[in-house]
Amino acid sequence: MIKSMTGYGRGKYEVEGRSYTVEIKSVNHRYFEFSARLPRMYNFLEEKLKSFLAGSISRGKVEVSVLIEDNTENATVIEINREYADAYIAALKNLSKEYKIKNDIKTSSLAGNNEIFKVRRQVIEDEVISNAVLTVAKEALDNFIEMRTVEGERLLNDVKSRTAFILEKVEFIEKRSPETVKLYKERIEQK
């Protein structure tokens, strides 16, 4: 069975409020060349994905994209950096008092200072992430291989039709060849 080296496959999986998407793309390349686009905190997945795909893809420049969305209630926790906020507000009060400026500190004006808030993301065990991503990667790989097989069949049919066309023209030329030689000989003799 002929397979194309170009292909695309996508898999999506949702579990416990998290959404995992894996896309696999490849183009023609002499060897297996792998690259991955992953969220920075999940870089540990790169080698696992490479090993997983290398078992099924032997050639091509393969690019894998992983998207993980955490839509759970506690996915992001925002805390107040109390020490910084206290010092910042005290400095503003001193500024107001020292320079005789109206003290109009509002929560909305403090919200623009990125240092006042600490943003933490919920930590999920690496093994849970790995298992979910590899499950989705399997689906994406199946779709990828199916597309390569369909494309390979299309390429094979194209080559066969072109071969048939060429053979038809060769047969036509072979049949006309003696006649063409005869006509050419007659023209030379007439001159």
Side-chain angles (χ1 to χ4, degrees):
M1 178 184 312
I2 294 178
K3 291 182 183 171
S4 172
M5 271 194 272
T6 60
Y8 174 82
R10 184 173 197 256
K12 190 165 181 155
Y13 178 62
E14 291 188 30
V15 63
E16 296 177 4
R18 289 183 203 92
S19 172
Y20 302 88
T21 305
V22 175
E23 292 182 343
I24 303 171
K25 294 187 275 188
S26 78
V27 293
N28 190 3
H29 193 63
R30 190 173 185 175
Y31 305 105
F32 176 73
E33 186 179 309
F34 177 85
S35 66
R37 289 188 301 171
L38 304 163
R40 188 179 315 150
M41 63 192 303
Y42 302 118
N43 280 337
F44 66 90
L45 292 169
E46 184 168 355
E47 204 51 46
K48 291 179 182 194
L49 285 166
K50 182 177 182 179
S51 298
F52 176 73
L53 295 176
S56 300
I57 304 170
S58 59
R59 291 182 63 189
K61 187 173 184 175
V62 178
E63 183 180 300
V64 176
S65 298
V66 176
L67 177 64
I68 301 171
E69 295 176 335
D70 192 344
N71 300 316
T72 58
E73 189 174 310
N74 299 326
T76 304
V77 178
I78 300 175
E79 297 174 344
I80 297 172
N81 183 347
R82 296 201 183 281
E83 297 82 23
Y84 182 85
D86 291 343
Y88 189 76
I89 291 170
L92 288 174
K93 286 179 181 178
N94 279 341
L95 182 70
S96 173
K97 184 178 177 182
E98 207 170 301
Y99 292 99
K100 295 175 181 55
I101 302 171
K102 181 181 175 188
N103 186 350
D104 62 349
I105 300 172
K106 295 180 183 176
T107 306
S108 59
S109 62
L110 294 175
N113 186 325
N114 296 334
E115 299 295 319
I116 290 180
F117 300 101
K118 294 178 188 175
V119 179
R120 282 189 302 114
R121 300 217 176 262
Q122 180 183 13
V123 178
I124 308 160
E125 291 181 33
D126 291 355
E127 190 174 323
V128 171
I129 296 292
S130 294
N131 290 338
V133 168
L134 289 176
T135 298
V136 182
K138 172 71 172 113
E139 180 185 341
L141 179 62
D142 291 343
N143 292 334
F144 172 81
I145 290 171
E146 182 181 334
M147 181 180 180
R148 287 178 72 180
T149 303
V150 168
E151 180 69 12
E153 281 295 316
R154 191 188 66 70
L155 290 171
L156 178 64
N157 291 336
D158 184 48
V159 169
K160 283 181 177 178
S161 72
R162 290 173 189 265
T163 303
F165 176 77
I166 290 169
L167 291 175
E168 184 181 302
K169 294 303 175 189
V170 167
E171 187 179 318
F172 174 76
I173 291 169
E174 285 176 345
K175 285 181 182 175
R176 288 221 44 220
S177 180
E179 189 178 309
T180 307
V181 170
K182 182 181 170 188
L183 288 172
Y184 186 67
K185 189 176 180 181
E186 287 175 3
R187 283 187 195 159
I188 291 176
E189 288 174 356
Q190 286 176 356
K191 291 184 180 182

